[in-house]
Amino acid sequence: MRALSSSVALLLVSVSAVSALAGAPRPGTLVWPLDGHDRITAGFCDYRARHFHGGIDISTDGREGLPVRAADSSWVMRVSTSWWGYGKAVYVRLAQGGVAVYGHLSDFSPAIAAYVEEEQYASERYQQNLLPAPGQLPVACGEVIGKTGQTGVGPPHLHFELRTDGNRPINPIAWVFPQTDKISPTIVSLTFVPRQPQDLTAEPSMVDGSLLPVTLPTADVMKRAAIPVSGEVGVAVLVRDRVDSTGGIITPYKVLLLANGEPACEVRYDSINYDQTRLIDLERVYDPKPGIDPRAICLFRRQGNSLWEYTSVVDDGWLVTGRSLPDGDTSTISVEVEDAAGNRTVAAVRLLPVDKPGPVRDAQAAHDTFDIEPAWNGLVLSRTGTTPGKDYCPVAVGNRCLPGWPGRQGVWSFWIPALPGLDTVWLDAKDGGAIGRRTVPLSWMAVASEEGGTLPSPDGAASVTIGPDGLYESTFLVLRLASKGNAASAMTPFYEFAPADIPLARDARLSISSASVNAPTDKLAIYRYLGKTAGWDFAGKDRDTDAGTISATIPRTGSYALLVDTTPPSIRKVTPGKGATIKERRPTIRFVLGDDLSGLGSDADVRMTIDGRWVPVEYDPDLGTAMARPRWELDRGEHRVEITAQDRMGNQSSFTRVFRTTP
C-alpha cells in the first residue's frame, strides 16, 4: 500500500473550484487502492453516453482477484450489486471527509460479503442497494475491502472515485493522487462552430465560407495564413492525453482559449455534479455514434449549458467580430491544454473577420440545384448554378429575402432558423428571361425548445413527441421512412428520427401502430437499429390497446421499428455436467445465458434453485456467462438444479440438471 504526497496546493484554484471541493479528501493522506498497479486506462470526466465518467479506471492487466484497499479508516456507507453499471461496488465514508467508491469488484471482504448475502437471501434478489448503519461495517486504512473483477460493464479493471461529502466526484489525479506524467497532451484537431441566429432579422455567422461547423487537423490549420470568419464563432478542441505511454486516452485537466492574448474561456475538470451530467452533450461536440472515444471539448457555452467547470468566460466563450475579434484585423487565437501534472501544449491559429456580403443579385437558371442540410438550430439551404441578374431574391421566407454567403464553385448558402410554423421557403428562378418564384416545402418540422411538439411519419403510422424543454435549442426534426437495408426482420417500416447529431435534453416518446402487423401484440416491442454488426437494441413495449400502438421512451434519435420476439432465452453449457459426481460441498454452478433480441430486463428474470432452495445468480451480460454458489454445504447424495429465465417479452425457458456429491 502507499500514501502519495502532493503538490496540488501549488495549483491556482478558482473560487468556484474551491467551493465545489468543500468536504473533499485532503491530498497526500489516502492510500492508493491497488498495490503495484497504477496504470490509468480512463480518466475523470471522460466522455460516456449522456454522462461524464465520474472517476478513473485502473488497469489490472486483465486479471481478476487483486486485493482492493480502503483509502482511509472509517466505515462502509453503501454496498451495491448489479448485473450492469458498477457491478459489485463499495462506497466507503472516509474519516477525514469525503467518500471513496470502488466498482466492478469480483468479491467483497468476508464481513461485507456476509452482509450482502444475508440481504440477497432474505429478498431472493441478486441486485441490492444497501445502506449500512454508520459503524456497522468498519474498515481500517489499507484494509482489503474486496477484490478486482469485471462485474457490471467492461473488461477486468477497477473503477475508483473520490467524492465530497455532498456526493460530488472530484478529479483524483489532480487533487489527491498526482501521477508521474511526462507526456504532454496532443491537440488533434480544432472545430470552428458558427453561432447561428434564431430569428430572420440577424445575419448568420460564417467560418471559412461555411455556415456549418468546420473541423480541421491542427497541423493543417496552423499552416493557414488566416481563416475567414464573420459574426460569432466557437472553438472546440479534440485532445488526446495519456498519463503514461501504455495507458488509455484521458480528458486533460484544463483547457484555455485566448483571443489576442486575452482569456475567452477556460474549462477545468476539478469536479462534476451528477444532476448536470447529461449536459456533456453540450460540453462536447455531439457525435451520435456509439462508443467512448474522446469528443472535442467546446470552449463556448451553448444555450442550456449550465455546467460548473467554466471560468474566465467572456461572451460565453464565443468569439465575436468587433469585440474579441477586431474588425478587419487578423486575430491570433490560442488553445492551451494542460494535464494534471502541468504538461502543456499550445496551438495558435489566425482568424480574419471579413465583411458580410451584400444582397445576392444573381438570378438562378431554371435547371439550378439546391440542397437542404440540418444544423444545430436551423437548416442550411445551398444553391448552385448562378447567372448574372437583377432584382432577384434567391431564398425567401414570407416577404423577407434571406442573406446568403458565397462559397466555392458557385454555391451560395442561406440560413433558415428553426421558427415554429416555418415549413416553406420560396426560391426565385430565371426561366426564358423572366424571374419566377417557386414554393419549396421543407421536409423538416421546426420544434420549439420550450413547447416541444409531435412529429408524424409520412405514412401516419408512427409519431415522436418531444415534451416541453425536450430540446436544448429550437431545431428542425423529422420522422421519416428509411430503408431497411440488411435488417429485414422488422415487422414495420424503419422510422428514422433525424437528424442524428442533435441531442435531446429530455427523453422523447415514440409510438408505432401495430394494426398492420401479423403477430401477437404482447410479443411486439420497439427496437433501435444499431447497424449490421451491432443489430437491435430494445427500446420499449408499452401497449395501448385502444389506439393500437406500441410505445417507448427514447433518449436519442435514430432508426426504430417494431419487431416480434417469441424466442425464449437460451441456457447452455451448464456445469457440473449431466450425471456428474463431485466432491465439492459448495459447488459453483456455471452456465451460458443469452437472448437473441429483447434481452433480460432485470435480475428477477433469472431464478435458480438447488433442491428447491433459492440461490443468487451472478450474470455478466458482456460475456453472457452466469454463475451461482449456495451458501450452505450440500449433503452427500443427489441434488437437483433448476434454472428458469425470462426475457423482456415474457418468453420463458427452463433447465434441470441432476448431479451427485460425495464425501
Side-chain angles (χ1 to χ4, degrees):
M1 73 185 79
R2 61 188 175 106
L4 300 182
S5 61
S6 174
S7 59
V8 172
L10 299 178
L11 294 173
L12 294 176
V13 184
S14 66
V15 174
S16 61
V18 172
S19 175
L21 293 168
R26 297 187 304 275
T29 60
L30 301 182
V31 169
W32 184 255
L34 284 180
D35 292 343
H37 293 266
D38 56 8
R39 184 159 59 93
I40 295 173
T41 56
F44 184 73
C45 279
D46 285 355
Y47 176 83
R48 297 294 184 266
R50 299 185 307 285
H51 71 279
F52 289 92
H53 190 234
I56 58 174
D57 289 346
I58 305 171
S59 172
T60 61
D61 296 321
R63 297 163 57 191
E64 297 188 59
L66 301 178
V68 177
R69 300 191 180 276
D72 195 5
S73 296
S74 195
W75 48 278
V76 175
M77 60 174 289
R78 179 183 172 192
V79 188
S80 61
T81 54
S82 173
W83 290 350
W84 296 278
Y86 287 177
K88 292 182 177 180
V90 176
Y91 301 67
V92 176
R93 173 69 69 181
L94 305 177
Q96 61 174 277
V99 178
V101 182
Y102 310 81
H104 310 301
L105 304 178
S106 63
D107 204 355
F108 301 119
S109 68
I112 299 173
Y115 168 72
V116 173
E117 186 178 77
E118 189 66 31
E119 297 294 333
Q120 288 177 329
Y121 275 88
S123 62
E124 294 196 355
R125 291 288 299 271
Y126 172 81
Q127 183 165 320
Q128 299 290 325
N129 183 26
L130 306 174
L131 303 173
Q136 182 178 350
L137 294 173
V139 296
C141 183
E143 178 184 341
V144 175
I145 58 173
K147 296 180 180 179
T148 63
Q150 59 178 329
T151 56
V153 177
H157 71 281
L158 176 67
H159 176 85
F160 178 66
E161 294 182 22
L162 290 175
R163 301 182 183 179
T164 67
D165 288 336
N167 201 41
R168 189 180 183 114
I170 66 170
N171 190 333
I173 63 175
W175 288 99
V176 181
F177 293 113
Q179 304 293 297
T180 301
D181 178 1
K182 298 181 179 180
I183 302 175
S184 296
T186 299
I187 300 177
V188 178
S189 64
L190 296 174
T191 298
F192 301 91
V193 181
R195 188 182 195 181
Q196 303 302 4
Q198 290 187 307
D199 60 72
L200 295 169
T201 60
E203 297 280 350
S205 300
M206 177 278 296
V207 172
D208 206 20
S210 174
L211 302 184
L212 295 169
V214 175
T215 298
L216 298 170
T218 306
D220 294 346
V221 74
M222 292 178 68
K223 296 177 183 177
R224 297 274 296 269
I227 298 174
V229 298
S230 181
E232 301 182 33
V233 177
V235 179
V237 57
L238 179 61
V239 181
R240 296 190 184 277
D241 186 36
R242 299 178 190 271
V243 174
D244 61 62
S245 59
T246 62
I249 297 172
I250 67 172
T251 298
Y253 171 60
K254 180 171 63 176
V255 187
L256 174 64
L257 173 68
L258 298 104
N260 298 312
E262 296 296 324
C265 182
E266 182 182 29
V267 179
R268 299 169 65 106
Y269 295 105
D270 292 304
S271 67
I272 62 174
N273 183 340
Y274 277 133
D275 292 339
Q276 296 177 303
T277 192
R278 186 164 180 161
L279 295 181
I280 194 171
D281 288 339
L282 298 181
E283 194 264 356
R284 306 291 161 95
V285 171
Y286 184 71
D287 188 335
K289 73 174 183 291
I292 58 175
D293 292 338
R295 269 67 165 172
I297 299 168
C298 296
L299 299 173
F300 56 91
R301 300 178 77 154
R302 291 190 184 275
Q303 180 176 308
N305 185 352
S306 57
L307 285 169
W308 58 92
E309 74 269 30
Y310 292 89
T311 60
S312 306
V313 179
V314 178
D315 291 325
D316 277 335
W318 296 95
L319 304 175
V320 182
T321 301
R323 293 208 290 269
S324 50
L325 304 177
D327 287 321
D329 294 330
T330 300
S331 293
T332 299
I333 306 304
S334 298
V335 177
E336 300 182 358
V337 181
E338 187 175 308
D339 63 23
N343 301 303
R344 186 165 160 267
T345 300
V346 179
V349 300
R350 290 162 292 280
L351 303 182
L352 177 62
V354 297
D355 293 333
K356 294 181 173 65
V360 180
R361 297 301 184 190
D362 288 347
Q364 302 284 333
H367 63 272
D368 72 336
T369 60
F370 70 91
D371 182 59
I372 297 177
E373 186 173 357
W376 188 269
N377 59 339
L379 300 173
V380 173
L381 188 149
S382 302
R383 293 194 71 176
T384 60
T386 59
T387 57
K390 294 181 179 180
D391 301 324
Y392 163 74
C393 180
V395 181
V397 174
N399 295 321
R400 182 175 295 278
C401 188
L402 299 184
W405 275 100
R408 298 176 179 85
Q409 300 178 341
V411 177
W412 283 77
S413 297
F414 304 84
W415 176 252
I416 304 173
L419 301 176
L422 177 54
D423 58 4
T424 304
V425 297
W426 290 266
L427 307 183
D428 281 356
K430 183 178 180 182
D431 187 6
I435 296 177
R437 173 164 288 190
R438 55 177 167 154
T439 301
V440 176
L442 299 175
S443 59
W444 303 82
M445 175 179 169
V447 180
S449 57
E450 297 84 1
E451 291 100 27
T454 297
L455 307 170
S457 63
D459 61 1
S463 65
V464 168
T465 299
I466 299 99
D469 299 318
L471 299 171
Y472 293 111
E473 294 187 48
S474 299
T475 192
F476 282 98
L477 301 169
V478 69
L479 183 63
R480 60 193 175 196
L481 299 177
S483 170
K484 290 185 178 182
N486 296 313
S489 57
M491 304 296 291
T492 62
F494 271 32
Y495 295 99
E496 183 184 10
F497 181 23
D501 55 358
I502 299 295
L504 302 179
R506 300 180 185 275
D507 293 352
R509 189 70 173 170
L510 170 64
S511 295
I512 301 177
S513 173
S514 60
S516 61
V517 178
N518 185 20
T521 57
D522 63 338
K523 301 300 181 183
L524 287 175
I526 296 176
Y527 296 81
R528 179 171 178 252
Y529 187 55
L530 303 179
K532 184 177 180 180
T533 302
W536 296 97
D537 185 37
F538 178 87
K541 60 173 185 177
D542 297 337
R543 290 189 298 276
D544 187 328
T545 305
D546 294 335
T549 60
I550 307 294
S551 300
T553 298
I554 57 174
R556 58 177 70 84
T557 58
S559 293
Y560 296 86
L562 285 184
L563 276 72
V564 62
D565 182 4
T566 57
T567 304
S570 62
I571 303 171
R572 304 180 294 113
K573 298 183 179 180
V574 180
T575 59
K578 183 178 181 180
T581 299
I582 61 174
K583 294 182 179 180
E584 189 175 1
R585 303 297 293 274
R586 291 187 60 202
T588 298
I589 313 299
R590 302 180 186 275
F591 57 99
V592 174
L593 176 63
D595 189 71
D596 68 337
L597 191 56
S598 62
L600 305 172
S602 77
D603 64 300
D605 292 333
V606 179
R607 182 177 177 85
M608 173 188 283
T609 61
I610 299 178
D611 301 329
R613 299 173 66 181
W614 180 86
V615 184
V617 174
E618 185 173 306
Y619 176 57
D620 187 330
D622 291 338
L623 301 176
T625 57
M627 58 179 288
R629 188 171 186 241
R631 66 173 176 174
W632 68 92
E633 290 190 355
L634 302 182
D635 296 332
R636 176 184 178 182
E638 188 174 273
H639 301 280
R640 184 183 183 89
V641 174
E642 294 181 296
I643 306 169
T644 60
Q646 175 177 283
D647 64 20
R648 287 187 174 96
M649 302 313 299
N651 302 303
Q652 296 183 355
S653 58
S654 60
F655 183 94
T656 301
R657 167 62 43 86
V658 176
F659 65 93
R660 296 183 61 84
T661 57
T662 60

